[in-house]
Amino acid sequence: MKIAIIGGGLAGLTAAAYLSENRELEGTVFERSPQLGGRAFTYQKAGFTLNYGAHAIYGIDRHTIHQMEHDLGLVFQSKQVDKRKVVYAKNGHLTPAPLDFMNIIKTDVLSAMEKVRFVAEIAAIVGNVHHIKNYATLGDYLDHSHASEDVKEIWEHLVCSNFFITPADARKVSGEVIAEYYHNLFLSSKPVNYILGSWATITDQLKDKIEANAHWEIALKEPVEQIVQQDNGKFLLTSKNREATEYDQIIIATPVQQAVKLLDNTPWADALIPYRDSTSTEVMVYDIGFKSIVARPFHYISDMNNKMFISDVSATDHTVVPPGGQLLQGIAYLNDDFKDEDERKAYLENKTAKMEALFDEYYPEWRESVEVKRVSKKAMVSSVKNIHTNRLLPNQLDHVPFYFCGDGSVGKGELAERAFSSARKVAQQVLSHILKNPEGASTL
Ligand SMILES: Cc1cc2nc3c(=O)[nH]c(=O)nc-3n(C[C@H](O)[C@H](O)[C@H](O)COP(=O)(O)OP(=O)(O)OC[C@H]3O[C@@H](n4cnc5c(N)ncnc54)[C@H](O)[C@@H]3O)c2cc1C
């Protein structure tokens, strides 16, 4: 049986790595860009290793990557961001981020009574008895909650930082999503970890795994342009530089927006209508690398007033810098409701200025020391923002004979974890489908 996987990001590579373990299958991973990794792509610049996107793995001991480590024999090291060096800044004042019991005691964003209340809320989430799961959104819950404004602000801010969204959007995340997400995270003993050596450590191993099976191929610079179902139920897939090729099954592992585009004007287009207008999560990213350490007042600072943060990536992962160097990544959460392009441009310029002001405040003289710099004013963190007005794309749709995975599809966790978990699930579904229907083709 022959399988085509469209997209060579974390999801496509994960699905292919699982499927390539089955000796009955052959397949192709189609990737439109010249490199693998998608939004988790890593590149080298002047001795620095820069992640285009993701750094953090939230709750690694309960994360899908932990299962993949066992299932696929992945080998990697991870390091926890030092919780004592994670701070919140509010009105110019720094205080420990209330990430664990010790930090909650020390922080002054909450009073003693508020700390008791917040700890009780965490316990209720861990015990699966928190009322938030019964509310349509975080906003609805907060409106009904008797907690103080500071406790409410902490809730909003936590959701901003884990979902990479603004407070207005944080209030739109469903109560059920929040209950499930924080149940997992609060039970983790490793809330924020980095994979040492960047995401390439994972994507390289997934690639090697796929290529170890001679019946699998990775096709770079090969965008898929068309899929047609034939009378025999199989699919003819056309990509940029190849003759149309027949496949039995297709997995679409692209952002939802690209899946919608690919299936436009096909018999399956209507099934995607409910998913095509979902909004994505976008942030501004500001990476700067220095030859030597400019300052190291903390390892992560979250600016509660301006909704942006700076990670000192190299404080946790020294492998991403030349010896003695420093790599900072600033990220700002962005609004997406502008009346016109001018308003959007002015907003982004203002965000950039605020980010630079944050660097000025805690890393004085950083401007003179910059060795590498990359600013992206609109990086897509998640193809579907997980707010109640958006819908994640199911892994299978009625009357559509393909599987879907990626960070905009249904799966456990947020961001990269949803890309991994949805792909793992899809690969398992394909394998069980094949076991039941050894003749294979598209009997979905
Ligand atoms: C700035 C930033 C910070 C982030 N931080 C974190 C973080 O700290 N923690 C975390 O967990 N996640 C984080 N993420 C999110 C994480 O990077 C993504 O969730 C994840 O990489 C998505 O993987 P994916 O495979 O679903 O999609 P993608 O990475 O988008 O992969 C899809 C691939 O499909 C290819 N493609 C599209 N159309 C076609 C076609 N027609 N034919 C062939 N190929 C096609 C694309 O080129 C792409 O390579 C961050 C992302 C960004 C941008």
Side-chain angles (χ1 to χ4, degrees):
M1 172 175 280
K2 209 168 167 186
I3 301 194
I5 297 182
I6 307 174
L10 295 180
L13 290 173
T14 298
Y18 275 95
L19 294 174
S20 64
E21 291 211 314
N22 183 310
R23 298 285 135 183
E24 307 288 308
L25 299 175
E26 55 181 304
T28 312
V29 178
F30 289 90
E31 169 51 52
R32 70 175 179 186
S33 36
Q35 75 279 322
L36 293 171
R39 283 169 282 143
F41 135 75
T42 305
Y43 62 102
Q44 306 289 329
K45 201 170 173 190
F48 292 82
T49 302
L50 295 158
N51 274 331
Y52 169 80
H55 282 296
I57 302 257
Y58 300 105
I60 195 165
D61 47 342
R62 303 175 62 84
H63 197 280
T64 303
I65 203 164
H66 187 54
Q67 288 164 314
M68 288 168 59
E69 201 177 346
H70 293 286
D71 297 344
L72 301 173
L74 301 182
V75 180
F76 59 86
Q77 286 182 305
S78 69
K79 196 168 164 202
Q80 193 168 178
V81 175
D82 183 348
K83 284 184 264 186
R84 308 290 163 250
K85 298 280 171 66
V86 175
V87 296
Y88 280 1
K90 194 174 169 186
N91 304 328
H93 173 73
L94 294 187
T95 187
L99 292 184
D100 63 2
F101 191 67
M102 186 67 87
N103 277 19
I104 291 175
I105 304 255
K106 286 190 189 158
T107 192
D108 50 20
V109 283
L110 299 173
S111 69
M113 281 314 288
E114 288 170 340
K115 287 175 188 182
V116 173
R117 164 86 197 206
F118 191 58
V119 169
E121 295 222 20
I122 294 177
I125 291 272
V126 168
N128 256 334
V129 292
H130 199 295
H131 293 303
I132 196 169
K133 65 180 174 203
N134 303 320
Y135 286 85
T137 62
L138 172 67
D140 287 348
Y141 166 70
L142 295 179
D143 288 344
H144 287 92
S145 165
H146 298 298
S148 71
E149 289 309 310
D150 285 339
V151 170
K152 292 181 182 181
E153 189 183 6
I154 289 291
W155 263 117
E156 255 180 25
H157 195 71
L158 266 182
V159 176
C160 291
S161 9
N162 290 118
F163 289 61
F164 286 62
I165 54 183
T166 60
D169 280 334
R171 294 181 68 88
K172 294 183 198 157
V173 177
S174 102
E176 207 179 330
V177 167
I178 289 181
E180 196 182 320
Y181 183 84
Y182 287 101
H183 172 78
N184 204 42
L185 195 61
F186 291 153
L187 276 174
S188 164
S189 54
K190 297 175 172 176
V192 193
N193 267 54
Y194 287 175
I195 303 284
L196 294 190
S198 84
W199 279 108
T201 314
I202 304 297
T203 51
D204 286 352
Q205 289 182 59
L206 295 174
K207 172 176 175 278
D208 290 348
K209 207 152 178 54
I210 300 160
E211 289 181 335
N213 182 338
H215 298 294
W216 279 78
E217 180 199 7
I218 294 176
L220 296 177
K221 293 201 240 174
E222 203 61 67
V224 172
E225 289 166 345
Q226 195 184 37
I227 308 171
V228 176
Q229 190 164 29
Q230 304 178 100
D231 294 342
N232 63 3
K234 299 189 182 206
F235 305 99
L236 215 48
L237 191 143
T238 311
S239 62
K240 193 173 172 207
N241 303 305
R242 296 180 171 210
E243 281 186 16
T245 313
E246 196 177 77
Y247 288 90
D248 298 284
Q249 293 284 2
I250 293 183
I251 296 175
I252 302 184
T254 67
V256 173
Q257 297 75 359
Q258 267 123 50
V260 167
K261 210 165 145 198
L262 184 61
L263 298 183
D264 203 18
N265 297 318
T266 69
W268 311 291
D270 284 356
L272 277 105
I273 290 174
Y275 310 95
R276 72 175 179 202
D277 294 326
S278 289
T279 49
S280 53
T281 306
E282 283 168 353
V283 295
M284 187 189 78
V285 187
Y286 203 127
D287 282 322
I288 36 177
F290 314 120
K291 262 202 184 133
S292 55
I293 295 171
V294 167
R296 183 155 281 161
F298 30 68
H299 295 183
Y300 171 99
I301 180 171
S302 183
D303 179 341
M304 292 184 77
N305 299 101
N306 292 308
K307 300 300 169 195
M308 47 181 60
F309 67 84
I310 297 175
S311 305
D312 185 338
V313 181
S314 49
T316 306
D317 184 358
H318 68 278
T319 68
V320 295
V321 288
Q326 185 172 32
L327 180 65
L328 304 179
Q329 182 174 66
I331 290 204
Y333 314 128
L334 301 179
N335 284 340
D336 58 7
D337 51 346
F338 303 108
K339 64 175 190 297
D340 56 33
E341 194 47 30
D342 286 346
E343 191 183 81
R344 195 182 72 85
K345 249 177 108 181
Y347 174 83
L348 287 174
E349 272 165 26
N350 180 265
K351 279 277 166 189
T352 312
K354 287 210 162 115
M355 179 65 77
E356 290 177 344
L358 196 62
F359 284 127
D360 286 337
E361 192 166 352
Y362 299 108
Y363 302 91
E365 291 163 39
W366 65 276
R367 292 168 199 265
E368 295 78 59
S369 310
V370 172
E371 194 70 16
V372 294
K373 176 169 160 178
R374 181 194 70 126
V375 181
S376 166
K377 289 198 174 163
K378 210 169 169 270
M380 188 167 86
V381 176
S382 187
S383 84
V384 174
K385 193 185 287 180
N386 201 358
I387 53 176
H388 77 116
T389 43
N390 285 335
R391 291 175 69 182
L392 294 169
L393 186 62
N395 306 117
Q396 286 179 262
L397 283 169
D398 283 348
H399 313 298
V400 180
F402 314 123
Y403 293 89
F404 298 93
C405 57
D407 67 359
S409 295
V410 173
K412 172 181 172 277
E414 288 297 314
L415 314 176
E417 181 170 24
R418 203 157 56 234
F420 286 131
S421 59
S422 59
R424 181 173 179 264
K425 190 160 97 198
V426 158
Q428 287 166 341
Q429 285 170 349
V430 171
L431 291 170
S432 81
H433 174 77
I434 290 163
L435 276 177
K436 284 189 223 134
N437 306 281
E439 288 311 307
S442 39
T443 47
L444 261 177

